[in-house]
Amino acid sequence: MSEAEVDRVFHALATSTRRDILRRTSEREQSVSTLASDYDMAFAAVQKHVSVLEAANLIVKRAEGREWLVRANPVDLEAAPDLYGVKIFSSSAAK
């Protein structure tokens, strides 16, 4: 996993809302509107959270009719423990 990919994953997991969306979609596929109904924020804000998770390859989104369905991406989630093997601080940052 490249440093840019690691950065995207950590950025995506930086908020409790995105971690909750990831948890919920790992249990079962859900529509974005169903996800949004459980949060005290605008639908567009939930869509943005979903987009951040999608950019980090942590979730997969597909269209079904007029709805977008979201599910966790099990392939990339299985690779998550490998993040701990990534050197978080480069030698130039440690100086």
Side-chain angles (χ1 to χ4, degrees):
M1 192 175 253
S2 73
E3 284 193 41
E5 290 169 322
V6 171
D7 288 346
R8 279 193 294 277
V9 169
F10 277 106
H11 171 72
L13 298 175
T15 69
S16 60
T17 300
R18 288 194 287 263
R19 289 189 303 272
D20 188 56
I21 290 170
L22 187 60
R23 179 191 57 76
R24 292 173 59 195
T25 58
S26 68
E27 294 168 357
R28 63 180 162 75
E29 186 175 61
Q30 297 189 38
S31 69
V32 175
S33 55
T34 298
L35 290 168
S37 68
D38 290 334
Y39 298 107
D40 188 26
M41 62 180 76
F43 179 80
V46 174
Q47 283 182 307
K48 176 66 176 170
H49 284 299
V50 168
S51 294
V52 171
L53 289 165
E54 185 178 28
N57 293 320
L58 294 174
I59 61 167
V60 176
K61 194 167 70 169
R62 70 178 180 88
E64 186 173 290
R66 296 181 62 206
E67 293 227 280
W68 284 100
L69 299 176
V70 179
R71 65 175 168 78
N73 183 0
V75 174
D76 278 7
L77 287 176
E78 288 173 4
D82 293 337
L83 294 176
Y84 296 110
V86 173
K87 189 175 180 182
I88 295 174
F89 297 105
S90 66
S91 57
S92 62
K95 292 180 181 176

